[in-house]
Amino acid sequence: MIQLGEHGAVLLQAQDVCKTYHLGETSVQALQHVDLEVREGEFLALAGSSGSGKTTLLNLFGCLDRPTSGRILVAGTDVAKLDPDALAEFRAATIGFIFQTFNLFPVLSARENVEYPMLLNKTPAPEREKRAKEALERVGLARFLDHRPDQLSGGQRQRVAIARALVKRPKIIFADEPTANLDKKTAVEVLTLMRDLNSSEKVTFVFSTHDSMILSLASRIFHMSDGRQVAAPETPHAH
Amino acid sequence: MRIRIAIRNTFRNKRRTALNVFMIASGVASLILFKGFSANLILSIREGTIQFQYGHLQVARESLWKNSAENPNENLIPDYQGLLKRIQDVPSVKSATGWIGFYGLLGAKDRTVGAQLLSLDPVNESLRLSNLVMVEGKAANYTGGQKVLLGAGVASALRAKVGDNLNLLGYTYDGLVNALDVEVAGIFKSGLKEIDNVTAMIPLEVSQKLLDTKDVEKFIIYLKSTELTEDGRRAVSSLLDSGPRGLEIKPWYELAAFYKEVRSFYNLYDAVIQLIILSLVLIGILNTIGMSVFERTGEMGTMRALGETQRNIVRQFVLEGAVLGVFGGVVGAVAGAVLALVINAIDFRAPMPGASLPQRIQILLPIWNFVEALALTLAASMVAAVIPAVRAVKLEIVDALRRNI
Ligand SMILES: Nc1ncnc2c1ncn2[C@@H]1O[C@H](COP(=O)(O)OP(=O)(O)O)[C@@H](O)[C@H]1O
Ligand SMILES: [Mg+2]
């Protein structure tokens, strides 16, 4: 499974990262001294049961949150050094997201949803439309360009979301439990699509899951439990 | 595309948007109706003031304007006929007439009442004459001769009726007491009680005869329209050098102190009412827009994850507020205009402060009122959007994203 040799330069680095959430009096240590390097071209899975810290780590890598201590480097940039606007710009240029709940804009058609990220970096309209169409064709939705999210199935919606993440040609795409809301068959299809894109478009993927079947598609697995890396799953995953 | 997104989001929740549109439209419609109503009120007070009280322009000697004459003789304009003729020939002038005003005593059988006796020319001031609503007698009977028109208040103080002969007493310019018999040709209501209680109208020749003079104190000049005031003023001014020395012209707006007060009162009153209407609109939509924004916190999280800055997100929501404002505003403008036309079509009269007769309610619809009403409600709906959007966008991205579940 671990195929480091095939991959390129280091893209993501977590160095001794801790993240503590405070809830009134109590505090939760969501991440404890996590070290992780991800190289260009990887198709990395974060595995672990619910509450193990997968989402927290993805959020830190995705520049959506800041670590309590330790350093996060994304494409050589120390995330802590960027202000909110610069972070937004950095995300717009470098990072794609796929969400468990798809998070498409309900009032926009599939094509418009895919166009949206290009609106942020001021791509001219004709090019936006062309690239959105191509991206949707790439994920197998050529016939659904003008459908609204509520006219699409879960698997189709996640494909639109994948096209939306892909269309701006990011260095890396983060996917937090991308298949948790899909049935088994669709889940495998969606993940296979991501895997295809990983090799054909040379995009790095980091995704989280607690589904062992999905894990088998990863190029590498980072096992987590209680906010730490663990060597291997203590118990087989139930789902 | 941003606008397209804003339009679609605006009409996402039909029921809520309908409610917002209704509130904004009601605001715009009431602003248009109210402003149109008060604009008409101010306009009719202005025209009433001009037509009935002052004319558009008045020419008199400096001493009369300054009240500085030691002897009332000094106020008289001698040999005025030639100049008056030239003024009447100015293109923007509709009519011009000589005028004398004096304080006199009107005596009936057993009563005597002091009154302001003002010149009213039956021919040159026919409009002014026709503005007087005769509660008794006919304006047509007031045709030269020793006739008088009594204000309703003066008439009732004298218990005088049409056809009665009254004794009119006054001081000549030489300080002698003189008296004449005048016949009551009519009893009028001008629209302003203050005037009806103290005023009587007589032809200039009768005043001149009583006061023993061939001169006048003023020219009263009526223009073809109030908009021509400055033109007329310039044209008449240039003629004054050819007449007797020391003449000075004053336009209606310098003379009509009461009108100025009324107008500034109504301006203040308008501002207060507008503020109230706008506050109601704002309160009405703030809640529903706030709900919509709050429900879309998760969407804001997604937008930010995709790389949208907080400022741009607020901007997007303000754009949605603007779309709502424009839509509601257009609906309201149409509704307001239709309502105004309906009200104008009905001959609907209502008593008004200071008026002795019910006045016809008219709603003016100047384009400016629409622009102002739309601009104000547009601003209100943008404010109603910016407040909750700024609050919601401050949430941490990860917390906002969790709202999508
Ligand atoms: N915003 C938060 N506030 C408080 N606790 C949180 C917050 N986010 C996550 N946690 C806690 O941190 C731990 C790790 O959560 P998370 O990263 O979501 O795990 P996973 O994605 O693996 O299920 C859990 O105990 C969770 O309850
Ligand atoms: Mg999670």
Side-chain angles (χ1 to χ4, degrees):
Chain A
M1 277 280 179
I2 300 170
Q3 307 165 327
L4 269 179
E6 282 181 20
H7 301 301
V10 174
L11 190 58
L12 302 175
Q13 280 172 283
Q15 298 173 347
D16 195 24
V17 166
C18 295
K19 179 72 186 180
T20 308
Y21 289 111
H22 297 279
L23 278 173
E25 298 286 288
T26 62
S27 58
V28 182
Q29 300 218 303
L31 290 178
Q32 302 182 53
H33 307 286
V34 170
D35 283 287
L36 174 60
E37 279 192 358
V38 182
R39 287 176 178 271
E40 275 178 11
E42 280 200 77
F43 194 69
L44 174 74
L46 304 182
S49 55
S50 180
S52 57
K54 306 183 294 294
T55 298
T56 305
L57 185 56
L58 280 174
N59 286 344
L60 293 178
F61 275 141
C63 309
L64 301 176
D65 206 354
R66 291 167 191 275
T68 310
S69 68
R71 283 214 310 167
I72 296 282
L73 291 123
V74 180
T77 305
D78 186 345
V79 170
K81 296 208 169 98
L82 299 179
D83 66 34
D85 280 358
L87 273 179
E89 200 178 311
F90 185 70
R91 280 194 301 271
T94 320
I95 300 172
F97 285 98
I98 298 168
F99 305 92
Q100 177 179 341
T101 45
F102 320 133
N103 294 17
L104 299 177
F105 300 114
V107 297
L108 302 187
S109 68
R111 189 214 290 249
E112 289 163 338
N113 263 290
V114 178
E115 275 186 55
Y116 190 87
M118 292 184 282
L119 200 62
L120 307 195
N121 55 26
K122 306 209 160 47
T123 310
E127 194 190 334
R128 277 203 317 255
E129 286 172 31
K130 183 171 143 283
R131 277 169 61 182
K133 187 162 171 276
E134 285 167 3
L136 283 165
E137 281 163 0
R138 182 69 190 80
V139 299
L141 290 177
R143 286 169 43 235
F144 298 91
L145 298 181
D146 296 320
H147 286 56
R148 297 272 176 101
D150 58 7
Q151 299 166 321
L152 298 171
S153 69
Q156 289 171 327
R157 287 187 214 181
Q158 198 59 303
R159 284 166 191 269
V160 175
I162 290 169
R164 176 173 72 178
L166 193 70
V167 75
K168 61 186 179 188
R169 298 173 190 140
K171 284 202 163 66
I172 181 154
I173 295 178
F174 296 105
D176 192 8
E177 313 248 11
T179 59
N181 280 9
L182 302 175
D183 61 62
K184 274 228 146 55
K185 182 166 162 285
T186 317
V188 173
E189 281 169 15
V190 163
L191 221 84
T192 310
L193 171 66
M194 284 166 56
R195 182 81 222 227
D196 287 350
L197 295 170
N198 168 247
S199 49
S200 67
E201 314 288 322
K202 307 269 177 286
V203 192
T204 310
F205 276 83
V206 178
F207 64 98
S208 71
T209 186
H210 51 260
D211 183 340
S212 50
M213 192 157 81
I214 296 300
L215 281 179
S216 62
L217 290 161
S219 67
R220 176 161 73 106
I221 303 175
F222 185 78
H223 289 284
M224 297 180 73
S225 178
D226 282 336
R228 295 173 195 274
Q229 180 177 17
V230 291
E234 302 101 55
T235 51
H237 290 275
H239 304 283
Chain B
M1 177 145 173
R2 295 260 185 208
I3 293 177
R4 205 185 331 148
I5 296 175
I7 291 174
R8 291 211 204 135
N9 275 322
T10 304
F11 296 100
R12 192 155 151 182
N13 185 326
K14 300 260 180 343
R15 209 184 56 84
R16 204 178 279 163
T17 301
L19 195 67
N20 281 334
V21 164
F22 175 76
M23 280 186 282
I24 294 170
S26 321
V28 170
S30 13
L31 279 176
I32 286 172
L33 290 178
F34 174 74
K35 286 158 75 72
F37 171 74
S38 81
N40 179 61
L41 201 63
I42 292 174
L43 188 71
S44 51
I45 292 172
R46 183 187 88 180
E47 289 304 302
T49 307
I50 290 167
Q51 297 298 346
F52 190 73
Q53 284 187 273
Y54 297 101
H56 289 101
L57 302 167
Q58 294 190 356
V59 172
R61 307 197 77 147
E62 224 179 318
S63 60
L64 184 131
W65 292 133
K66 294 207 171 115
N67 233 335
S68 62
E70 281 166 22
N71 183 326
N73 277 323
E74 292 171 27
N75 290 335
L76 292 171
I77 309 172
D79 304 322
Y80 66 92
Q81 299 286 1
L83 178 59
L84 184 61
K85 183 82 193 54
R86 284 193 293 282
I87 290 174
Q88 282 164 344
D89 291 341
V90 168
S92 55
V93 170
K94 188 162 157 249
S95 65
T97 178
W99 183 93
I100 288 177
F102 65 98
Y103 206 74
L105 290 173
L106 283 162
K109 272 163 266 157
D110 49 356
R111 288 163 193 272
T112 303
V113 169
Q116 190 86 44
L117 285 126
L118 306 178
S119 302
L120 175 64
D121 189 310
V123 181
N124 283 324
E125 294 182 288
S126 55
L127 185 61
R128 193 171 166 194
L129 182 58
S130 67
N131 268 350
L132 297 176
V133 174
M134 293 297 163
V135 289
E136 240 183 86
K138 284 205 200 85
N141 294 339
Y142 177 73
T143 49
Q146 310 217 146
K147 300 284 177 66
V148 68
L149 295 172
L150 299 179
V154 176
S156 74
L158 283 168
R159 306 243 170 107
K161 293 190 297 295
V162 171
D164 286 0
N165 272 309
L166 302 177
N167 192 261
L168 172 58
L169 205 76
Y171 285 95
T172 69
Y173 281 95
D174 298 326
L176 302 169
V177 177
N178 201 358
L180 276 175
D181 272 350
V182 287
E183 184 195 326
V184 178
I187 294 168
F188 67 83
K189 280 191 174 176
S190 64
L192 285 170
K193 276 184 188 142
E194 291 72 17
I195 290 178
D196 302 345
N197 286 341
V198 296
T199 312
M201 304 287 180
I202 55 172
L204 176 65
E205 308 82 63
V206 181
S207 301
Q208 285 174 327
K209 190 170 169 193
L210 179 76
L211 304 178
D212 190 24
T213 180
K214 291 191 164 56
D215 305 335
V216 295
E217 285 185 343
K218 282 184 193 173
F219 298 155
I220 313 274
I221 301 164
Y222 297 91
L223 300 172
K224 287 179 178 145
S225 89
T226 305
E227 280 60 49
L228 294 171
T229 301
E230 290 315 310
D231 283 0
R233 182 189 194 172
R234 242 175 284 118
V236 173
S237 281
S238 68
L239 293 174
L240 293 185
D241 296 339
S242 69
R245 295 203 173 281
L247 290 180
E248 212 175 282
I249 187 165
K250 284 201 188 283
W252 59 271
Y253 51 82
E254 283 178 24
L255 299 163
F258 174 70
Y259 167 74
K260 269 188 268 181
E261 279 169 28
V262 167
R263 202 183 56 177
S264 58
F265 167 76
Y266 273 108
N267 285 345
L268 183 67
Y269 183 67
D270 276 16
V272 171
I273 300 269
Q274 280 184 39
L275 201 68
I276 292 171
I277 293 175
L278 278 179
S279 312
L280 289 177
V281 170
L282 192 63
I283 291 167
I285 61 178
L286 198 56
N287 204 12
T288 33
I289 290 188
M291 254 190 297
S292 302
V293 172
F294 179 75
E295 280 170 11
R296 284 165 60 198
T297 315
E299 201 174 308
M300 282 189 176
T302 307
M303 290 164 88
R304 290 181 68 191
L306 295 183
E308 197 85 278
T309 59
Q310 283 160 297
R311 198 177 328 108
N312 278 343
I313 292 174
V314 171
R315 219 177 268 170
Q316 182 68 29
F317 278 80
V318 170
L319 192 62
E320 294 183 24
V323 167
L324 189 67
V326 167
F327 190 74
V330 168
V331 171
V334 171
V338 168
L339 268 174
L341 293 176
V342 168
I343 292 170
N344 288 351
I346 306 168
D347 187 358
F348 183 49
R349 282 165 197 275
M352 279 189 202
S356 54
L357 293 165
Q359 300 289 302
R360 180 163 179 183
I361 307 273
Q362 285 281 322
I363 312 264
L364 296 184
L365 295 170
I367 191 79
W368 180 240
N369 277 3
F370 286 86
V371 173
E372 217 176 71
L374 285 172
L376 287 172
T377 42
L378 186 62
S381 45
M382 285 163 79
V383 168
V386 82
I387 294 171
V390 164
R391 201 186 308 155
V393 87
K394 281 192 188 140
L395 200 64
E396 294 291 333
I397 305 176
V398 291
D399 294 326
L401 278 173
R402 248 199 305 276
R403 302 276 182 91
N404 283 311
I405 295 165

